[in-house]
Amino acid sequence: MATDKSDNLNPISDLLHGHSFPALAGALRAQTKSIIVDWEKAVRKVLPTERKVNESQLRDHLPQILALLADALAEDDPAETKRLMSSPSQHGEVRVKQNYDVQGFILEYRLLRRIALEQIESKLGRRLQIAEDLALNMGIDDLLQRGVVTFVLRQEERFRAAAESEARYLSFLSYDLKNNLNGVIMSLEVLRRRLKQMPDFADGAEDLEAAQHSIFDTVDGMNRLLQAERIRKGAEPHLTTVDLHALVTDVARQCASQATRKGLLLAVEIEPGAKVQTDREWVALVLQNLIGNAIKYSDKGTVRLARQSRRDRRGSWQVLLVSDEGPGIAPENLERLFVAFTRGPDERQDGVGLGLAVALQAAKQLGGELNVESKVGAGSTFMLALPDDSKG
């Protein structure tokens, strides 16, 4: 006859199969009030932080827990025992609401075990038999396990809700700041152009241009935060047929003014007609971060944007390459390069250290990879590999 495998996961159900412990159960019921009183004193002594909790809050569901355990010890039907011992643990939920930590929660059950054993043996006037001792301890262990699981799940829910609220606030704040700063940038540009036409105010025009660049960097940092938050929430990519030449050309055009300010050239070396099934917006996001980094850390030369087709045992790939002629990255810095809030090798550069972490996460959610090859003094090449299911 087939057996329910879940029975094997309930030690007390196995122990009580065909057995009951009426004397043990009776002693537990008789001593419940005394156990609770002694337990409350012990908890307040060992856990000073719980002194602020009133009597009803501290005792919480303990009477029901002990009654449940007594019923299970008195029952000789394994199915009924399993039902009793698998009932929801409200004790864990209440302790989360009372801002307990999990260590304090576990310690409560350790104290309960010792006090219950002392009170029951005092009532029976003898030491527990081996089977009784096992049954009592397994019952308390089972209650503790379910309580801890409930406690941890509810605590995770609270942390997740708090993180989501904080993220929503950050998003709203970032959007609001970005819109306002864009307005400031436009006003500064109008004023800069006017001052530039007046020789006496040439220095002021340069100062305004520097202020504009600072605001651009601030907006860029906020964009990184918003991108990271969107990806963190697990947004799904929308796959369409993407023209890689057109996409890379568009992104290069967006970064052109940034490159020009530093005296760099942007070269798109991708032939027309190359296509892949992917999310255009997400690939653009990755390229914006890679090109932006290449420009940021380069003082001369050309930033090249190229494409390669590659095939390996896992399938076919379209690989987009962003190469620069910057200072390169030392081997010891490569491992932490994609870690969030880690800055690049040149600490003089502005930024929050999110760009490459965002790019890596986006690449992964596209089913692709993001890697880098670099040599100190010879520049770096970042490679975004996108899965290519096309036959062409």
Side-chain angles (χ1 to χ4, degrees):
M1 186 175 83
T3 58
D4 185 353
K5 292 184 179 180
S6 62
D7 287 343
N8 297 327
L9 301 178
N10 196 323
I12 192 169
S13 180
D14 290 344
L15 180 67
L16 296 182
H17 181 73
H19 298 83
S20 63
F21 299 87
L24 181 59
L28 177 57
R29 291 191 182 105
Q31 296 299 110
T32 291
K33 290 184 179 180
S34 181
I35 289 171
I36 292 175
V37 170
D38 287 353
W39 173 83
E40 182 181 341
K41 292 178 182 177
V43 169
R44 293 194 185 280
K45 180 179 179 181
V46 177
L47 297 172
T49 55
E50 272 61 74
R51 291 173 184 168
K52 298 178 181 179
V53 180
N54 63 40
E55 181 178 305
S56 62
Q57 289 175 322
L58 181 60
R59 294 183 178 185
D60 180 36
H61 290 83
L62 188 56
Q64 295 94 314
I65 290 172
L66 294 177
L68 184 72
L69 179 57
D71 290 343
L73 292 170
E75 182 60 57
D76 59 3
D77 182 351
E80 182 61 16
T81 301
K82 179 181 177 182
R83 184 191 68 78
L84 289 168
M85 299 305 292
S86 62
S87 59
S89 175
Q90 295 177 310
H91 187 214
E93 292 191 28
V94 172
R95 287 299 185 249
V96 170
K97 294 177 181 177
Q98 293 170 343
N99 295 316
Y100 269 54
D101 60 54
V102 71
Q103 291 179 328
F105 183 72
I106 292 173
L107 185 55
E108 283 190 349
Y109 277 88
R110 292 177 61 186
L111 294 171
L112 177 63
R113 184 195 308 275
R114 176 177 61 80
I115 292 169
L117 178 62
E118 292 174 353
Q119 290 281 350
I120 289 171
E121 287 186 337
S122 175
K123 179 65 177 178
L124 293 174
R126 61 175 174 82
R127 299 290 298 273
L128 294 186
Q129 298 173 0
I130 293 177
E132 291 175 326
D133 187 69
L134 285 172
L136 178 63
N137 278 284
M138 286 183 175
I140 293 176
D141 285 343
D142 190 78
L143 293 169
L144 170 60
Q145 177 180 329
R146 290 188 299 105
V148 168
V149 169
T150 302
F151 182 96
V152 171
L153 289 176
R154 296 298 175 267
Q155 197 171 56
E156 286 179 351
E157 289 175 0
R158 291 184 67 182
F159 291 155
R160 186 161 50 248
E164 289 176 354
S165 295
E166 183 177 330
R168 282 196 298 270
Y169 174 75
L170 176 62
S171 295
F172 291 142
L173 179 62
S174 297
Y175 277 121
D176 190 43
L177 285 174
K178 187 172 74 170
N179 290 335
N180 289 334
L181 288 175
N182 283 333
V184 173
I185 290 173
M186 294 176 64
S187 298
L188 288 177
E189 178 61 18
V190 172
L191 183 57
R192 185 188 69 82
R193 290 181 180 180
R194 290 176 180 173
L195 292 178
K196 197 172 181 180
Q197 297 172 357
M198 304 176 187
D200 293 342
F201 295 96
D203 291 341
E206 291 180 2
D207 291 340
L208 287 178
E209 186 173 7
Q212 281 181 292
H213 292 165
S214 295
I215 296 174
F216 277 128
D217 290 337
T218 300
V219 172
D220 184 61
M222 288 190 295
N223 284 333
R224 298 275 195 272
L225 288 171
L226 293 174
Q227 291 164 357
E229 176 57 20
R230 181 186 172 195
I231 293 173
R232 186 192 70 82
K233 288 181 177 179
E236 293 293 330
H238 177 61
L239 303 183
T240 59
T241 300
V242 176
D243 185 320
L244 292 177
H245 177 269
L247 170 60
V248 175
T249 300
D250 286 346
V251 177
R253 190 179 296 114
Q254 295 169 18
C255 300
S257 61
Q258 185 183 358
T260 301
R261 286 199 301 268
K262 296 197 67 175
L264 302 171
L265 295 176
L266 275 181
V268 177
E269 300 174 351
I270 299 178
E271 71 283 4
K275 297 179 181 178
V276 69
Q277 284 285 321
T278 191
D279 186 308
R280 191 183 195 281
E281 183 181 348
W282 284 37
V283 175
L285 184 154
V286 176
L287 290 175
Q288 287 164 0
N289 282 298
L290 297 183
I291 297 172
N293 259 31
I295 294 172
K296 178 185 294 185
Y297 293 104
S298 298
D299 293 320
K300 60 180 178 62
T302 301
V303 176
R304 289 184 168 81
L305 313 175
R307 180 195 71 89
Q308 293 177 352
S309 293
R310 191 181 77 197
R311 186 172 183 81
D312 57 27
R313 57 184 177 80
R314 295 173 298 166
S316 299
W317 306 82
Q318 291 286 345
V319 184
L320 297 176
L321 300 92
V322 178
S323 303
D324 63 58
E325 299 175 18
I329 305 164
E332 62 270 19
N333 292 326
L334 288 176
E335 288 187 3
R336 63 188 185 94
L337 200 61
F338 296 100
V339 178
F341 302 106
T342 299
R343 299 285 300 280
D346 187 351
E347 294 295 338
R348 295 170 299 173
Q349 295 289 351
D350 296 327
V352 295
L354 261 180
L356 292 180
V358 170
L360 177 62
Q361 188 61 35
K364 287 181 177 179
Q365 292 194 219
L366 288 169
E369 299 174 349
L370 183 59
N371 298 294
V372 59
E373 292 179 355
S374 187
K375 184 177 179 180
V376 175
S380 305
T381 297
F382 286 84
M383 297 157 285
L384 170 63
L386 300 169
D388 183 13
D389 297 327
S390 65
K391 303 298 182 181

